[in-house]
Amino acid sequence: QAGLAIPAVKRKTPPILEYVKKSSLNSNQVLPLPIPVANAGLNDSDTSISVSWLSPLQPPIPEFLAAPSHVDWEGNIYLCPLTPNQDNLRIICNVLDSKYQGSSPRPVDRYWSVGQSAISRWDLDGRWYRAKVLVVNFDECTVQFVDYGTVELCKVEDMRKDLFMTEVPVQCFPIQLDNIQPVGDKWEQSVLDFLHSTVVDQTLEVVITSSLMDTGENITRRYSGKLTTRAGLDIGHLLVRNGYARDSE
């Protein structure tokens, strides 16, 4: 799903990702194709207001392989574990395409509020993805594609409230690189662009070093860790050596 790795220069809003463990699926399962229910969700009721996408499962082990899909303004790197999440993404995408390709928006699909769940079409590849509304404008919304972390503008005509795949947890989660921090007060866009071009769509070895639960307005698990290329290059050390970051120890 390299298409959702939107270049860092197009980032618009720091994304928010909720975390609650889903017990009905264990971390080693590949999702089965769901059986659609006849006429499910084809009424005009707006159920997307009360439905949230299930938060991602906690990594079962502290060391695993993953493919980053996005880097946000705060330096969060969104990771999708290779097993089983990459297979899950293909299933999700195929199911949503089969359901929504060629569909037309209903009157209720034209009105949105911040925080609402949605199924949104990305105009660059024409495929449908699970999303969450971050900003509402007159005829378009800024949404986060929740399974990738990426943030984009979508026209309301390309958004649906008739949700599907709601029983499947979000497939990615954000991580901060351990023991480094910006050179200044915040991450510079040029640094984030470099980080994005270095890690997105690459297979990296991940080591989780800490995990804290944020019990604020949204219950969120925040991860820190180390990312290493298959050739043994530590991404945090690379940023420090190039003067893009400094050690926080």
Side-chain angles (χ1 to χ4, degrees):
Q1 303 297 327
L4 266 292
I6 299 171
V9 71
K10 291 192 176 182
R11 286 187 302 266
K12 296 178 177 63
T13 307
I16 301 170
L17 194 60
E18 298 179 338
Y19 185 100
V20 177
K21 185 170 183 180
K22 172 68 175 175
S23 58
S24 62
L25 290 173
N26 66 55
S27 58
N28 294 319
Q29 282 182 294
V30 174
L31 301 177
L33 281 170
I35 300 174
V37 178
N39 299 322
L42 297 182
N43 56 63
D44 288 331
S45 62
D46 189 356
T47 59
S48 64
I49 293 178
S50 59
V51 176
S52 297
W53 302 117
L54 295 177
S55 298
L57 299 177
Q58 184 173 353
I61 55 177
E63 300 183 20
F64 54 93
L65 296 177
S69 56
H70 181 59
V71 179
D72 72 13
W73 287 109
E74 297 179 352
N76 293 304
I77 301 171
Y78 283 77
L79 299 178
C80 180
L82 294 190
T83 306
N85 299 44
Q86 291 294 328
D87 287 334
N88 293 346
L89 287 177
R90 284 187 285 271
I91 292 172
I92 293 169
C93 198
N94 289 337
V95 169
L96 295 184
D97 281 347
S98 67
K99 179 171 177 63
Y100 297 98
Q101 289 288 14
S103 66
S104 298
R106 303 167 301 166
V108 71
D109 292 325
R110 302 186 183 278
Y111 303 96
W112 296 90
S113 59
V114 172
Q116 228 171 335
S117 298
I119 302 293
S120 298
R121 177 182 173 274
W122 192 40
D123 60 353
L124 292 189
D125 66 1
R127 306 195 74 178
W128 295 83
Y129 300 93
R130 303 192 299 175
K132 178 179 179 179
V133 177
L134 301 181
V135 179
V136 178
N137 298 314
F138 175 70
D139 60 351
E140 62 184 10
C141 295
T142 301
V143 305
Q144 180 189 37
F145 294 110
V146 296
D147 292 310
Y148 303 85
T150 48
V151 175
E152 256 291 18
L153 285 173
C154 286
K155 296 184 180 299
V156 294
E157 64 194 50
D158 292 331
M159 299 172 62
R160 303 288 185 269
K161 292 183 178 180
D162 179 16
L163 302 181
F164 207 54
M165 305 295 281
T166 57
E167 77 284 4
V168 181
V170 167
Q171 296 297 301
C172 74
F173 62 89
I175 187 174
Q176 287 270 345
L177 290 174
D178 194 26
N179 296 326
I180 67 167
Q181 57 188 22
V183 173
D185 295 333
K186 61 180 182 180
W187 293 105
E188 298 292 335
Q189 178 172 324
S190 59
V191 175
L192 296 175
D193 288 345
F194 172 80
L195 181 58
H196 186 281
S197 64
T198 301
V199 303
V200 165
D201 291 335
Q202 304 299 312
T203 297
L204 301 180
E205 297 177 0
V206 182
V207 178
I208 301 294
T209 56
S210 67
S211 172
L212 298 175
M213 184 69 76
D214 183 349
T215 57
E217 182 177 351
N218 295 304
I219 300 177
T220 307
R221 185 170 292 277
R222 301 185 179 276
Y223 294 98
S224 296
K226 296 181 179 181
L227 302 181
T228 308
T229 67
R230 303 302 295 272
L233 178 63
D234 185 294
I235 301 301
H237 292 167
L238 175 65
L239 293 179
V240 172
R241 285 201 307 270
N242 281 277
Y244 293 148
R246 57 191 176 94
D247 291 321
S248 57
E249 292 182 321

